Amino acid sequence: MRASQLFMPTLKETPAEAELVSHQLLLRGGFIRRLASGLYTWLPLGLRVLRKVERIVREEMDRCGAQEVLMPVVQPAELWQESGRWEQYGPELLRIHDRHDREFCLGPTHEEVVTDLLRREIHSYRQLPINVYQIQTKFRDEIRPRFGLMRGREFVMKDAYSFHLEAASLESTYEAMFAAYTRIFTRLGLDFRAVEADTGAIGGKRSHEFHVLADSGEDAIVFCHHCDYAANLELAQSRLPDEAPEAPLPAEQVPTPGIRSVAAQAEMLKISTARIVKTVLVMADEKPVLLLLRGDDELNLVKATNALAAKSLRLASQEETEEACGVPVGFIGPKDLPRDLPILADHHALTVQNFSTGANVADLHWINLHWGRDLPLAAAADLRSVRAGEPCPRCASGTLGIRRGIEVGHVFQLGERYSKAMNMTVLDETGRDRTVTTGCYGIGVSRVVAAAVEQHFDDRGILWPRALAPFTVGIVAINGRKSPDVAAAAELLHNQLEAAGYAVLLDDRDERPGVQFATMDLIGLPHRVVVSDKVLAQGVFEYRDRRGTDNVHLSYEELLTQLKGGEPS
């Protein structure tokens, strides 16, 4: 490909709306262009990258036995009503009407459609298991699309769905898909982590997320420095501290005028915040529940929602708290609470000894309380967010670290979540109707492109991993329009490298060398070769690796050896 013929509208200045590096560089490099909020056109360079992701995804899906299909973007409302998600999904589901006033939506995902497809075609256990996938455009009506491809309204996704008679079969396919995802992100050249995850609104049981590690990531990823334990913050746990038994001190109430915060309480009482059991009132499905945490811990709302099996959960307002507890905010505690409220304590809060908490009277706190002596042990659950440096829950010697991650893939064991709601059954060996069990497996194909840039860039532009680069080699012909020798040599090199299996971009534009070099750096091709009268006179080419800083002179044979650092692409 010749740059003079390539539609590659690069930009010198960063567009004002671009916040993330990936958004900035993909716009500046001429990979994408914005049509409207959250909607982007893929230009030739960008589409080449996208297709490379798709190719690797297809190869690995086919390798593990999945079969490709293509389902409609427009989906009838009755399928979503049948699954119960028409109202549950919320405003991100873009609902539309056709000319006959029938309701449809633009599909954000395809659980309903694929379940409807296969319940019509699969009737016997002999037809199971089956695993189908597609690479297709999705639409989610984000309230605030931002960050370019990272959180758009329209995006490209690979979604796969497997159907099984037995849980063991689902487990086998789940592990195969997990392995396929690991190979995909490894082949793409990404630094990633697979983490245990909450299943969220999609429902289901076992779940893992795949995150590209990047400082700009929206998600906090917890991992062990010693073993393979990893989980997102909404699921991560740490090992309970090994607290030596303490001699119980006499419990007493102490005046704490105006002391409403944990920090102020600790300072006044001359104790650590870890010696405090704090109370937080939440509204679970609009009903008050009192949660207990250690004073230095942070409530994790997702964990609390799951622990309470709530459809919705929020922090109660000060007015709601005082009305429900009958106590001023800041002085509420689990001992002698005047109102009968459900109480749930975090596991760590139940390990605290000689602790302080509110006395349920204004300007008064307890000190030196002990579980079992002064008040009964509360029901326990995991309610807190872990912190870096805490002991790993899986191994004896590891400690936890926390990094930011960009979610690019998610695998779920859905169980019977959709097949039961939509009555997908098959006949088993005995002739009985059995509800199938299912799994689903998604990769944000277009998001992978943005995540790769977030992980691979410098102050000059993108540093594409070789597997993703739109071209493997960029040839810069300096003054090629004026020098017939340079033009001929660059053309010959272009043709030779393409014949050898490399994707090559020849910059034959009538531009200054500085502009040509800047363009090559911006679009991030792994290898750059300069052809000029000066190097031709020496019988060599000038070569630079995009990730390097030094130019080296190489013969054609030496250049081929240098390029063979990876497979031609």
Side-chain angles (χ1 to χ4, degrees):
M1 173 63 72
R2 287 154 184 78
S4 61
Q5 300 171 2
L6 177 64
F7 180 39
M8 184 177 60
T10 58
L11 302 172
K12 291 183 179 180
E13 302 298 328
T14 300
E17 77 273 11
E19 300 177 55
L20 290 188
V21 167
S22 60
H23 195 191
Q24 296 169 1
L25 293 179
L26 290 171
L27 286 172
R28 286 189 55 216
F31 292 86
I32 59 173
R33 281 296 180 268
R34 181 180 183 273
L35 173 64
S37 178
L39 305 176
Y40 289 86
T41 297
W42 291 83
L43 304 185
L45 275 182
L47 192 58
R48 289 178 71 94
V49 178
L50 188 71
R51 294 290 184 250
K52 286 196 164 190
V53 179
E54 292 178 357
R55 176 175 61 83
I56 290 174
V57 169
R58 277 194 173 91
E59 289 173 359
E60 294 298 340
M61 288 296 98
D62 294 345
R63 177 179 170 183
C64 69
Q67 301 177 66
E68 187 168 7
V69 298
L70 187 60
M71 293 176 276
V73 176
V74 178
Q75 305 180 16
E78 53 262 30
L79 290 182
W80 285 71
Q81 291 162 349
E82 189 176 357
S83 73
R85 289 207 297 175
W86 184 250
E87 297 301 333
Q88 182 188 75
Y89 203 90
E92 285 187 5
L93 186 65
L94 184 64
R95 297 161 172 84
I96 57 178
H97 290 78
D98 68 6
R99 67 175 64 194
H100 304 292
D101 203 33
R102 292 175 297 207
E103 286 188 297
F104 292 84
C105 67
L106 293 187
T109 182
H110 277 69
E111 284 81 14
E112 285 82 2
V113 174
V114 73
T115 302
D116 179 64
L117 169 69
L118 293 183
R119 71 180 172 181
R120 297 170 186 268
E121 308 297 334
I122 305 294
H123 305 292
S124 168
Y125 74 96
R126 293 188 178 89
Q127 296 171 279
L128 297 176
I130 186 171
N131 188 2
V132 297
Y133 78 96
Q134 64 175 348
I135 297 176
Q136 189 237 39
T137 298
K138 309 288 189 188
F139 192 93
R140 294 178 187 169
D141 199 7
E142 293 277 357
I143 187 171
R144 184 172 167 247
R146 60 194 188 279
F147 306 147
L149 300 179
M150 203 67 73
R151 190 169 292 280
R153 290 193 291 170
E154 183 178 286
F155 54 95
V156 179
M157 182 177 177
K158 187 285 300 179
D159 46 325
Y161 307 90
S162 65
F163 294 77
H164 313 263
L165 185 64
E166 305 289 352
S169 175
L170 170 59
E171 182 68 28
S172 176
T173 296
Y174 186 88
E175 294 298 334
M177 295 295 282
F178 186 99
Y181 275 40
T182 301
R183 292 193 300 270
I184 287 168
F185 296 121
T186 300
R187 288 181 61 186
L188 290 171
L190 301 174
D191 182 12
F192 69 96
R193 276 273 188 167
V195 303
E196 296 174 12
D198 180 65
T199 55
I202 200 167
K205 301 177 181 178
R206 191 179 176 201
S207 165
H208 284 84
E209 293 172 352
F210 288 77
H211 286 260
V212 169
L213 301 180
D215 292 339
S216 59
E218 290 186 288
D219 299 304
I221 306 305
V222 180
F223 63 95
C224 178
H225 291 289
H226 184 74
C227 73
D228 63 355
Y229 176 76
N232 65 22
L233 195 62
E234 286 71 35
L235 203 67
Q237 300 179 3
S238 61
R239 194 167 64 250
L240 286 172
D242 298 322
E243 299 284 356
E246 298 179 6
L249 299 173
E252 60 178 302
Q253 293 180 344
V254 295
T256 50
I259 299 299
R260 293 178 177 269
S261 71
V262 168
Q265 181 182 343
E267 183 178 0
M268 181 175 186
L269 299 176
K270 307 302 181 188
I271 60 174
S272 163
T273 54
R275 289 281 188 177
I276 294 172
V277 171
K278 64 183 177 182
T279 58
V280 179
L281 191 80
V282 296
M283 304 300 289
D285 297 330
E286 296 307 308
K287 295 179 181 179
V289 178
L290 203 64
L291 305 180
L292 308 180
L293 294 99
R294 209 171 70 176
D296 58 342
D297 282 336
E298 180 182 345
L299 174 65
N300 188 303
L301 288 174
V302 173
K303 287 185 176 182
T305 302
N306 293 336
L308 295 169
K311 294 180 180 178
S312 67
L313 186 138
R314 62 178 176 83
L315 295 174
S317 67
Q318 179 173 331
E319 293 75 15
E320 288 172 323
T321 300
E322 294 185 354
E323 180 182 353
C325 299
V327 179
V329 170
F331 303 98
I332 304 169
K335 179 176 170 56
D336 303 326
L337 190 69
R339 305 281 173 82
D340 186 17
L341 290 175
I343 297 178
L344 188 63
D346 179 73
H347 295 291
H348 286 246
L350 297 179
T351 67
V352 186
Q353 306 171 71
N354 290 318
F355 65 87
S356 171
T357 191
N360 295 310
V361 177
D363 299 331
L364 208 62
H365 280 81
W366 281 102
I367 61 170
N368 301 330
L369 290 180
H370 262 259
W371 295 107
R373 182 194 71 176
D374 304 303
L375 70 171
L377 279 172
D382 180 23
L383 302 175
R384 66 190 286 273
S385 294
V386 304
R387 295 189 294 271
E390 294 182 346
C392 174
R394 184 169 294 172
C395 70
S397 56
T399 58
L400 299 179
I402 300 179
R403 289 191 62 182
R404 306 304 299 180
I406 300 168
E407 184 188 343
V408 291
H410 207 157
V411 292
F412 298 86
Q413 289 189 12
L414 294 175
E416 298 178 354
R417 164 67 179 85
Y418 296 92
S419 53
K420 192 170 186 178
M422 300 181 68
N423 194 32
M424 181 178 177
T425 63
V426 297
L427 295 178
D428 66 11
E429 290 176 289
T430 67
R432 292 187 301 117
D433 273 338
R434 293 272 300 277
T435 301
V436 301
T437 187
T438 62
C440 75
Y441 320 90
I443 289 178
V445 175
S446 50
R447 180 178 262 215
V448 163
V449 176
V453 178
E454 291 295 328
Q455 195 175 77
H456 298 277
F457 70 92
D458 62 14
D459 58 358
R460 292 177 290 160
I462 300 172
L463 297 163
W464 288 116
R466 185 185 181 97
L468 286 174
F471 297 93
T472 307
V473 186
I475 299 174
V476 177
I478 295 181
N479 294 322
R481 296 291 179 93
K482 298 177 182 178
S483 171
D485 291 341
V486 167
E491 179 77 14
L492 177 61
L493 180 62
H494 171 273
N495 295 341
Q496 288 174 321
L497 292 179
E498 283 204 332
Y502 295 96
V504 185
L505 177 64
L506 169 58
D507 191 347
D508 59 343
R509 298 174 298 163
D510 187 15
E511 292 281 5
R512 292 179 291 105
V515 173
Q516 293 175 297
F517 294 154
T519 299
M520 288 295 176
D521 285 343
L522 176 61
I523 65 176
L525 307 189
H527 306 282
R528 187 187 78 190
V529 182
V530 174
V531 180
S532 66
D533 286 316
K534 181 179 179 180
V535 296
L536 286 179
Q538 303 173 51
V540 294
F541 300 105
E542 184 178 284
Y543 168 82
R544 177 184 283 192
D545 185 288
R546 175 62 181 85
R547 296 175 184 268
T549 57
D550 298 326
N551 298 328
V552 293
H553 287 175
L554 303 174
S555 67
Y556 177 70
E557 290 73 20
E558 291 170 331
L559 175 61
L560 285 181
T561 300
Q562 186 70 40
L563 298 180
K564 286 177 182 176
E567 290 298 317
S569 57

